[in-house]
Amino acid sequence: CASVRDKPILRGLDLTVRSGEVHAIMGPNGAGKSTLSHVLMGKAGYEITAGSVTLDGVDLLALAPHERAHAGLFLAMQYPTEVPGVSIEELLTEALVASGKGATGVRSRLEVEAARIEFDTRFLDRALNVDFSGGEKKRNETLQLAVLAPKFAILDELDSGLDVDALRLCSRRVEAATQETGLGVIAITHYKRLLDELRPDYVHVLAKGVIQATGGPELAEELERTGYAQ
């Protein structure tokens, strides 16, 4: 359970995500989807009023955001931040060193991963997200995810701003990570098109701060036809 400025947003949300699983969370605006991503990653301004969050037995709520990242949690942001003066390579080098993974060969890893999602390598030396298009920012988020190789990733509307080709490439890269490294995924989305490539094991409907229904990919298809009203 979580509140923002004393207003309850999450009202008893229970979820277990295992390694290699993809859980899609869909729901109307104001349902609490982005609040869930912010609470899990530790954004300031959110009050946890009940419950717990653990990652492999580690109490995430006791950790600062950077410590949650070191524990293996990654957030692909809905609106990626621009960071003038810091390149993608510099950012990921520092992140890898800070997490104890080491940054040997980071440039070659970046180039390999950029090629997998057809992300122009000239962006690797530019300031993070500065003057990037919406699609370029989302490819950049996917690139960071691939290089950092976390245990679990929260994708907050990864499909927002992506054209069809970029969506296919980014979705397939995340899908591949579930197979290659056992990545567990919480994919927050409004649209079924993301799930055509990033195949969910479970689809959850979040509304009024509670998971109202859970099913397989067919639930996303039903929502596409009927909407959320019922």
Side-chain angles (χ1 to χ4, degrees):
C1 298
S3 298
V4 180
R5 293 187 293 275
D6 296 324
K7 179 183 178 181
I9 304 295
L10 302 180
R11 302 171 182 267
L13 191 153
D14 294 304
L15 187 65
T16 300
V17 181
R18 296 175 179 84
S19 296
E21 290 183 348
V22 176
H23 290 245
I25 297 184
M26 307 181 73
N29 291 327
K33 301 186 299 299
S34 288
T35 295
L36 173 62
S37 70
H38 296 156
V39 165
L40 291 176
M41 205 68 229
K43 185 176 180 178
Y46 294 82
E47 181 186 3
I48 311 300
T49 54
S52 62
V53 180
T54 59
L55 193 163
D56 291 343
V58 176
D59 177 12
L60 289 185
L61 298 184
L63 303 179
H66 73 278
E67 294 171 322
R68 299 183 193 197
H70 294 171
L73 190 63
F74 178 92
L75 172 62
M77 293 182 285
Q78 183 177 0
Y79 303 108
T81 303
E82 295 185 4
V83 187
V86 178
S87 71
I88 302 170
E89 183 173 358
E90 291 169 335
L91 171 77
L92 291 179
T93 297
E94 292 297 326
L96 288 166
V97 170
S99 64
K101 294 180 179 179
T104 302
V106 66
R107 179 69 187 200
S108 60
R109 290 158 63 185
L110 279 166
E111 291 176 351
V112 168
E113 291 298 343
R116 291 183 70 170
I117 58 172
E118 298 180 11
F119 189 53
D120 196 323
T121 54
R122 64 190 172 89
F123 290 111
L124 301 181
D125 300 308
R126 287 173 51 180
L128 186 71
N129 292 321
V130 175
D131 295 327
F132 284 25
S133 69
E136 289 161 355
K137 289 180 179 179
K138 294 305 178 74
R139 288 193 203 224
N140 186 13
E141 295 286 287
T142 306
L143 177 71
Q144 293 174 51
L145 168 61
V147 172
L148 292 173
K151 295 178 181 178
F152 292 90
I154 308 157
L155 312 180
D156 192 358
E157 297 195 28
L158 180 68
D159 48 335
S160 175
L162 287 179
D163 61 33
V164 173
D165 292 333
L167 175 64
R168 182 181 301 111
L169 290 165
C170 290
S171 300
R172 287 181 177 177
R173 182 62 190 93
V174 177
E175 174 73 24
T178 67
Q179 306 295 324
E180 295 171 6
T181 63
L183 177 71
V185 177
I186 296 175
I188 295 169
T189 183
H190 280 291
Y191 305 109
K192 176 180 167 292
R193 64 176 193 155
L194 173 69
L195 308 180
D196 291 336
E197 299 293 343
L198 180 60
R199 297 184 293 274
D201 298 284
Y202 301 94
V203 175
H204 309 281
V205 180
L206 177 62
K208 299 180 180 178
V210 178
I211 291 177
Q212 305 282 354
T214 294
E218 71 282 352
L219 182 54
E221 296 175 2
E222 179 183 340
L223 290 170
E224 190 95 330
R225 293 193 306 270
T226 66
Y228 296 111
Q230 68 183 37

